Amino acid sequence: MSHKVNINDCWYLLMTCFLITTYPYHQTYGDESKWLAIGSLHNWFSSGGCEQEVGRRHLIADQQDGLRWPALFEYQDIQAAKGLWIGARDYFDPIVGLTYAYKVVHCGPRILDESYEIMPQQFKLYGKTEHPIVVVDGNLASHTVYMDDINETDPNLLTDRVLLNIVNTSIGVTEKRKIYAISQQYHDNYFIFDYVFTNTGIYNTAGAVNSQVLKEVYIMFQYRYAPTRFASVYGYGYAPQSASWGHNTVNEALHPFYGDDIRAFYAWHGLHSKYGIPDNIGGPNTGSSNLIADGYLGAAQFPGIIVLHADKAVDDPSDDPNQPASMPYINSGASYTRPNDQFNPSRMEIEYGVMASGIPTETHNQRVGNQFADLWNPPDTEQSSSGFSQAIAFGPYTMAPGDSIHIVFAEGVNGLSRDECRRVGKQWWDQTTPYIKPDGSSTTNRDEFKNAWVFTGKDSIRQTFLRAKANWENGFNYDPPPPPPDRFEVNSGGDRISLSWSESAEDYPHFAGYRVYRAIHKPDTTFDLIFECGQGAANALVNSYDDRAPLRGFDYYYYITTYDDGAVNTIDLGVSLESNLFWTRTTEPAYLRRPAGTAFSQIRIVPNPYNIRAKDYQF
């Protein structure tokens, strides 16, 4: 019997032996991570240029880690994995001295090799200002201490925070990404990603350069969302385990190909066959060993991406309305997603084929329809036990040495508010009629009622997309919020908790006053307004407040905001802008201390020096 042998695969086997001995071929974990966490959306970012699965701490428990919204509350993580692949045709690889018909380098969704494939060069967080100093009982007590790790301040920044990340890749393309974060209340639930990909020819950690024209380059981003950790096994555990890796996630694409005027996609928590109820849209809390059932909608978030700009060509920087050129929804567990190997010809050919696959005739959402998303699988493909990720690929570009491609998009999350998730979920759980839908009509079907409210998230995320688009097109000329006080101090007392703050924000031209909010038991829950002073308030402007309402035995958390006179708000005319709660929210408790004694009967001496039996107790 004769066998046909692919010469490239023979070379692959030979070169694999060579690489194992010459290059220690393994995944490395030298990447650094930083957070952008100054608004309602928090996420971590990797120095590798993309956020791979469990890439922050490399722990399985972090299956859902990042893209937290609304970030004030616990277990709001939506991000399961991301990937960035760059591919070209007819590439001469100087590492092995071979020409590959298809060359693809990878950061994620599961691999990050910072020794020989993805090589970080710069990773710095810039702030327009330093974050406020927040002190509780003499100790620093804000999440910004460890989640707002600024390297430099620059008052001329376009936004509150900018993360700069530069990465060389073994295909000779250098990735430069800037990620913009804003604390203003109408723009704090998205990040804007500004990418420049340049054919520098740098292909290894030593900085060696191999100058060549890169042919038919595709740049593909992958997104595996899993709303949310709250419902899943790593949170309160009432949803099926596979929901934690996005098994039932549904993706919807928007593109001129589908008749839309924007280029975007969004995702949601779809139907799951093992949830225990026929309709789990929104992730209603049906109870677990960790949580009493109450119907609360724990997975009503809609995360997504909108493309804001993509160059037509290296010599035409105008926006190409037909980019991304490919929007495949891919099996998150497909063999070509793991392991990825930049020296395997057959694997790279498959990967490149995915990148260049074009726009599907139907979107993932259209294909799944009303089926259980975890059971759906297209014919003639690998069976998926992991669900489907959405990808967006730009290209093909021809890039001579020195040529660059500019791509910009925004990633955001929106959906029902916390209060609405509680209200709608409780009514659904209690089966309390009448069921009034968002358009004012009524229904007798509680699932129809619940789902109508959950799917208002589609309109909400589209609103987020349009705000990001307008913000980018206007050069980040958004309405400026008032700055927070640069110092906020909380001190526990015997009969009160005393709060004080600096006057630094009062120099802002439209400054109007302060608002103080309080929560009980923990800092990641709903806060209530307890004090307001300044313009339009019942109290004159002050810089301190004594909270006499606390009860002994309870922990209290606070934050303070500044608000303006409403003159600069162009989205809701006349409504005051308010500084973001995350600047000053305390993460350490304040509480009532035992007051000093006023009589001998209130005084205890331990140990009792007059009791001979106490001599051995050295407290």
Side-chain angles (χ1 to χ4, degrees):
M1 180 181 294
S2 62
H3 298 275
K4 291 184 178 180
V5 179
N6 186 307
I7 187 66
N8 280 332
D9 287 338
C10 289
W11 270 109
Y12 167 67
L13 293 173
L14 291 172
M15 294 316 301
T16 297
C17 296
F18 166 76
L19 289 165
I20 288 173
T21 56
T22 307
Y23 299 93
Y25 186 60
H26 60 277
Q27 178 164 339
T28 60
Y29 292 144
D31 53 311
E32 181 184 357
S33 63
K34 286 182 177 291
W35 286 87
L36 287 174
I38 57 165
S40 65
L41 179 63
H42 293 180
N43 200 17
W44 62 272
F45 298 93
S46 167
S47 60
C50 187
E51 290 62 57
Q52 64 162 327
E53 185 177 35
V54 299
R56 182 169 64 93
R57 299 187 302 173
H58 308 288
L59 301 175
I60 296 300
D62 290 340
Q63 176 69 66
Q64 292 160 291
D65 184 30
L67 212 65
R68 299 171 179 172
W69 185 91
L72 174 60
F73 307 105
E74 64 181 350
Y75 299 144
Q76 300 303 301
D77 304 73
I78 297 169
Q79 180 173 278
K82 292 179 179 175
L84 170 58
W85 293 356
I86 304 173
R89 295 195 63 172
D90 300 327
Y91 176 80
F92 174 75
D93 193 333
I95 298 176
V96 295
L98 290 176
T99 295
Y100 289 110
Y102 302 93
K103 174 72 174 182
V104 180
V105 295
H106 325 80
C107 180
R110 294 180 174 88
I111 188 172
L112 175 58
D113 183 345
E114 290 187 295
S115 298
Y116 308 107
E117 189 169 17
I118 303 295
M119 297 156 282
Q121 302 300 300
Q122 194 168 351
F123 194 54
K124 297 180 71 174
L125 179 59
Y126 295 86
K128 181 176 285 189
T129 61
E130 286 283 355
H131 54 249
I133 297 173
V134 179
V135 178
V136 175
D137 294 334
N139 299 310
L140 291 176
S142 170
H143 85 285
T144 56
V145 173
Y146 59 93
M147 292 181 71
D148 189 40
D149 184 18
I150 297 172
N151 298 104
E152 294 183 22
T153 57
D154 180 356
N156 298 314
L157 290 180
L158 294 173
T159 59
D160 296 298
R161 295 289 182 266
V162 179
L163 182 60
L164 174 64
N165 189 193
I166 300 176
V167 177
N168 291 332
T169 69
S170 58
I171 202 172
V173 173
T174 295
E175 168 199 351
K176 179 181 180 181
R177 67 170 176 170
K178 290 182 179 179
I179 308 172
Y180 295 89
I182 301 169
S183 67
Q184 198 252 48
Q185 65 214 56
Y186 297 96
H187 298 282
D188 74 336
N189 65 327
Y190 66 82
F191 305 117
I192 289 182
F193 295 73
D194 186 341
Y195 286 89
V196 176
F197 295 92
T198 304
N199 180 2
T200 61
I202 301 171
Y203 65 90
N204 64 16
T205 55
V209 175
N210 177 51
S211 295
Q212 64 179 300
V213 175
L214 299 178
K215 302 175 185 177
E216 298 185 46
V217 174
Y218 279 95
I219 301 163
M220 186 173 81
F221 301 87
Q222 302 170 47
Y223 299 89
R224 186 179 181 186
Y225 292 134
T228 65
R229 185 168 184 159
F230 183 93
S232 299
V233 65
Y234 300 111
Y236 284 107
Y238 60 82
Q241 182 171 1
S242 69
S244 66
W245 59 73
H247 198 183
N248 60 311
T249 296
V250 177
N251 305 284
E252 176 67 316
L254 309 174
H255 192 278
F257 179 86
Y258 301 119
D260 212 293
D261 59 352
I262 63 174
R263 300 158 287 169
F265 82 88
Y266 54 83
W268 65 88
H269 178 89
L271 294 174
H272 199 299
S273 62
K274 294 181 173 56
Y275 203 96
I277 55 175
D279 190 318
N280 59 276
I281 296 297
N285 169 25
T286 54
S288 71
S289 59
N290 300 316
L291 195 65
I292 297 174
D294 62 3
Y296 170 76
L297 301 177
Q301 293 89 335
F302 284 71
I305 298 287
I306 178 172
V307 176
L308 305 177
H309 175 90
D311 284 353
K312 283 188 175 181
V314 295
D315 56 353
D316 186 351
S318 62
D319 180 41
D320 186 346
N322 295 313
Q323 294 286 357
S326 297
M327 295 189 73
Y329 39 94
I330 61 179
N331 181 344
S332 299
S335 57
Y336 60 78
T337 69
R338 56 179 171 186
N340 302 117
D341 185 347
Q342 65 165 325
F343 303 113
N344 186 321
S346 56
R347 281 190 176 275
M348 291 191 290
E349 181 175 1
I350 294 171
E351 293 163 359
Y352 188 91
V354 174
M355 300 168 76
S357 61
I359 309 293
T361 304
E362 294 181 294
T363 69
H364 181 226
N365 171 47
Q366 291 171 335
R367 294 287 301 279
V368 173
N370 294 322
Q371 303 175 65
F372 288 116
D374 63 308
L375 299 181
W376 179 82
N377 208 81
D380 303 322
T381 62
E382 297 176 75
Q383 183 64 39
S384 173
S385 61
S386 304
F388 285 78
S389 301
Q390 182 65 53
I392 53 175
F394 302 83
Y397 299 107
T398 296
M399 302 176 67
D403 284 346
S404 295
I405 290 296
H406 186 204
I407 297 170
V408 185
F409 54 77
E411 180 178 34
V413 187
N414 212 330
L416 286 180
S417 70
R418 180 84 167 188
D419 288 342
E420 284 296 274
C421 285
R422 187 177 293 112
R423 178 189 70 82
V424 173
K426 178 174 173 52
Q427 187 174 350
W428 174 87
W429 179 255
D430 293 342
Q431 302 187 48
T432 305
T433 57
Y435 296 129
I436 307 301
K437 296 189 292 185
D439 62 3
S441 64
S442 63
T443 178
T444 58
N445 186 309
R446 67 170 184 157
D447 286 332
E448 181 183 341
F449 157 76
K450 168 178 64 69
N451 296 354
W453 282 99
V454 170
F455 283 122
T456 62
K458 294 182 179 182
D459 296 326
S460 299
I461 189 60
R462 192 179 184 96
Q463 179 190 69
T464 296
F465 289 161
L466 295 179
R467 285 181 179 172
K469 184 174 185 288
N471 195 14
W472 169 257
E473 292 173 348
N474 292 331
F476 293 102
N477 189 27
Y478 58 91
D479 305 328
D486 62 11
R487 185 176 181 87
F488 179 46
E489 191 164 348
V490 178
N491 286 293
S492 304
D495 62 349
R496 72 196 71 180
I497 296 175
S498 298
L499 290 72
S500 61
W501 53 90
S502 66
E503 302 175 355
S504 61
E506 295 170 21
D507 292 334
Y508 175 68
H510 296 279
F511 172 84
Y514 299 103
R515 294 174 180 143
V516 176
Y517 299 80
R518 180 187 63 206
I520 305 176
H521 300 305
K522 57 181 186 176
D524 53 357
T525 188
T526 301
F527 282 69
D528 297 314
L529 177 66
I530 62 170
F531 178 72
E532 185 176 21
C533 66
Q535 181 177 316
N539 303 289
L541 188 68
V542 294
N543 294 93
S544 63
Y545 172 69
D546 284 341
D547 186 8
R548 298 177 180 272
L551 301 175
R552 199 169 311 283
F554 294 90
D555 292 339
Y556 294 88
Y557 299 85
Y558 300 86
Y559 68 84
I560 185 170
T561 64
T562 56
Y563 63 93
D564 71 9
D565 57 13
V568 301
N569 192 338
T570 58
I571 293 179
D572 288 328
L573 300 179
V575 175
S576 66
L577 297 176
E578 196 169 355
S579 64
N580 203 284
L581 70 93
F582 285 103
W583 290 125
T584 59
R585 183 189 60 147
T586 62
T587 55
E588 294 295 329
Y591 50 90
L592 290 188
R593 299 180 183 276
R594 180 176 296 277
T598 58
F600 280 111
S601 62
Q602 297 174 314
I603 299 174
R604 295 180 64 200
I605 300 174
V606 179
N608 183 351
Y610 301 105
N611 186 339
I612 190 64
R613 291 174 299 177
K615 68 182 179 67
D616 294 325
Y617 296 99
Q618 304 299 317
F619 291 96

